[in-house]
Amino acid sequence: MKRLATLLAILTLLAGCAAQQPRELTEGLGNPAQWQAHKVQISQIDGWQITGKLGLKTPDESGSATLQWLQRQSYFDIRLSGPLGQGASRLTGRPGATELEIANQGRYSAESPEALLEEQLGWQLPVSHLLWWVRGLPEPDSRSQLILDADSRLARLTQDEWRVDYLNYLEQDGFALPSRLKLYGKDLEITLVIKDWRPRLLGQ
């Protein structure tokens, strides 16, 4: 009787695992095995320095700013200069603590970068997801739909009510990294053009 109960418990557990949907639904021209290999390689990048341009468009306004992004594992330092940055803005932080400094206005803090930007600038930007999306990867803690290009990299990503189109890649230090992305959220369109990508493997 004990063996039967144990067998039923195991079968129930296996049935539950089988019923779970995969976190990634993949389609497109690419090879899923090659995509997994690409993802493992790119996931090793846990530091970078990016220089580029950020464009933002809403139903009421549009503008652009110069972007400088320094990432060191969980620490980030993102600087915007130009109209979108209201002269100059700097967003820094790590999980649980974020600070926003706006030129001639002051310094503000919050637990998450999303809450801070929405409160101070009125932008609903998925900053935590961008740490993954900018590398051409889905955020691993929520479900995603992927369309792969002929080189088994992301051509389109749909995740958490956002769509990200990957329009171009560049090769840097042996890594294929996005150089032009378009993000579409609710009443918000973001264009990110990366002119200089400097990836780092800090954890090795």
Side-chain angles (χ1 to χ4, degrees), residues 54-154:
L54 180 73
L56 187 145
K57 183 178 180 181
T58 72
D60 301 319
E61 61 180 338
S62 63
S64 63
T66 300
L67 169 72
Q68 291 183 316
W69 183 347
L70 177 69
Q71 188 76 29
R72 292 292 180 264
Q73 295 182 324
S74 61
Y75 172 79
F76 57 86
D77 183 338
I78 301 173
R79 305 184 187 204
L80 296 174
S81 58
L84 283 182
Q86 300 182 16
S89 298
R90 183 183 181 189
L91 183 69
T92 59
R94 50 180 43 88
T98 306
E99 186 171 274
L100 175 65
E101 185 176 356
I102 304 175
N104 303 318
Q105 292 191 37
R107 187 174 294 178
Y108 313 91
S109 61
E111 291 187 1
S112 75
E114 287 83 2
L116 192 54
L117 286 179
E118 183 172 5
E119 179 182 337
Q120 299 300 329
L121 299 178
W123 304 345
Q124 294 182 350
L125 298 181
V127 179
S128 300
H129 283 31
L130 281 172
L131 300 177
W132 297 89
W133 295 350
V134 74
R135 289 176 284 172
L137 301 171
E139 200 280 334
D141 292 330
S142 63
R143 289 191 175 92
S144 56
Q145 293 180 314
L146 318 179
I147 298 178
L148 304 180
D149 65 16
D151 295 313
S152 302
R153 305 169 306 202
L154 281 184

Side-chain angles (χ1 to χ4, degrees):
M1 192 70 179
K2 185 176 180 181
R3 289 181 179 179
L4 180 59
T6 302
L7 177 60
L8 287 174
I10 292 173
L11 290 175
T12 301
L13 177 62
L14 291 175
C17 292
Q20 290 180 354
Q21 296 183 3
R23 287 199 171 273
E24 292 182 7
L25 298 178
T26 307
E27 57 182 297
L29 301 174
N31 181 297
Q34 292 179 8
W35 156 248
Q36 292 299 326
H38 170 77
K39 187 168 68 168
V40 168
Q41 183 203 28
I42 299 300
S43 295
Q44 299 177 63
I45 299 172
D46 58 355
W48 59 82
Q49 187 170 339
I50 286 173
T51 303
K53 196 170 185 178
L54 180 73
L56 187 145
K57 183 178 180 181
T58 72
D60 301 319
E61 61 180 338
S62 63
S64 63
T66 300
L67 169 72
Q68 291 183 316
W69 183 347
L70 177 69
Q71 188 76 29
R72 292 292 180 264
Q73 295 182 324
S74 61
Y75 172 79
F76 57 86
D77 183 338
I78 301 173
R79 305 184 187 204
L80 296 174
S81 58
L84 283 182
Q86 300 182 16
S89 298
R90 183 183 181 189
L91 183 69
T92 59
R94 50 180 43 88
T98 306
E99 186 171 274
L100 175 65
E101 185 176 356
I102 304 175
N104 303 318
Q105 292 191 37
R107 187 174 294 178
Y108 313 91
S109 61
E111 291 187 1
S112 75
E114 287 83 2
L116 192 54
L117 286 179
E118 183 172 5
E119 179 182 337
Q120 299 300 329
L121 299 178
W123 304 345
Q124 294 182 350
L125 298 181
V127 179
S128 300
H129 283 31
L130 281 172
L131 300 177
W132 297 89
W133 295 350
V134 74
R135 289 176 284 172
L137 301 171
E139 200 280 334
D141 292 330
S142 63
R143 289 191 175 92
S144 56
Q145 293 180 314
L146 318 179
I147 298 178
L148 304 180
D149 65 16
D151 295 313
S152 302
R153 305 169 306 202
L154 281 184
R156 174 171 292 178
L157 165 66
T158 304
Q159 188 170 37
D160 293 336
E161 301 183 352
W162 280 81
R163 190 186 95 207
V164 185
D165 289 344
Y166 291 85
L167 306 178
N168 201 15
Y169 284 81
L170 57 80
E171 295 286 336
Q172 182 67 44
D173 299 337
F175 299 100
L177 296 164
S179 59
R180 185 177 178 87
L181 306 78
K182 294 203 77 168
L183 298 85
Y184 300 89
K186 183 179 180 180
D187 295 329
L188 183 61
E189 179 181 318
I190 301 169
T191 302
L192 177 58
V193 178
I194 301 173
K195 298 179 180 179
D196 186 30
W197 241 120
R198 298 184 186 181
R200 298 285 186 271
L201 305 181
L202 300 175
Q204 296 188 355

